[in-house]
Amino acid sequence: MSDPIFKLNGRVWIETGDEKVLGHGRVELLGRIQASGSIRQAALQMKMSYKQAWDMVNHMNEHFGQPLVVSHRGGKGGGKAVVTEYGVRVITRFHLLHQKLQEFLKENSTDLIL
């Protein structure tokens, strides 16, 4: 019998204390808010409730010390949400960390013998 082939795998997320504040789902939510200009539209696209999306945005805004998303209540034309410049930097940094993790996992999976 030949030796099994092993491969490392993993995901990156950011915590403060023991609380998760940013991961793939939240970054996707931020990206969809940025693209649509709407928390409601982003929630619909991700098949989650508006309340769940709103709670995630509030949680991130509270824990990052400055807003990642600024929202304006709806009126005649509806509300809008904007990912702040800081939020865009957070998204970019998260994608960079994810890329570095994937490179690390790939590099360290070669000739992995347990």
Side-chain angles (χ1 to χ4, degrees):
M1 183 169 142
S2 64
D3 290 334
I5 298 172
F6 294 102
K7 179 180 119 181
L8 296 175
N9 198 351
R11 294 188 81 137
V12 65
W13 61 87
I14 297 172
E15 297 178 349
T16 177
D18 60 351
E19 210 173 340
K20 181 177 176 180
V21 293
L22 193 71
H24 287 277
R26 290 173 190 222
V27 169
E28 181 181 350
L29 178 63
L30 291 172
R32 290 179 185 269
I33 292 169
Q34 185 179 22
S36 69
S38 166
I39 295 172
R40 183 174 303 284
Q41 284 301 312
L44 287 171
Q45 292 169 9
M46 294 182 69
K47 297 179 178 27
M48 72 170 62
S49 73
Y50 173 72
K51 182 180 181 340
Q52 184 181 7
W54 181 251
D55 288 346
M56 286 178 156
V57 167
N58 279 338
H59 188 261
M60 288 184 284
N61 282 348
E62 288 171 8
H63 286 83
F64 274 90
Q66 58 183 298
L68 276 61
V69 175
V70 175
S71 63
H72 305 279
R73 294 197 92 154
K76 190 173 184 179
K80 72 175 193 175
V82 176
V83 176
T84 64
E85 185 178 314
Y86 179 67
V88 171
R89 287 198 321 261
V90 168
I91 293 168
T92 301
R93 183 72 174 137
F94 182 87
H95 286 304
L96 180 61
L97 289 169
H98 175 74
Q99 179 183 353
K100 286 181 177 184
L101 175 63
Q102 294 309 308
E103 290 168 6
F104 170 84
L105 295 171
K106 185 177 178 182
E107 288 170 10
N108 288 280
S109 284
T110 58
D111 300 324
L112 181 63
I113 299 170
L114 299 176

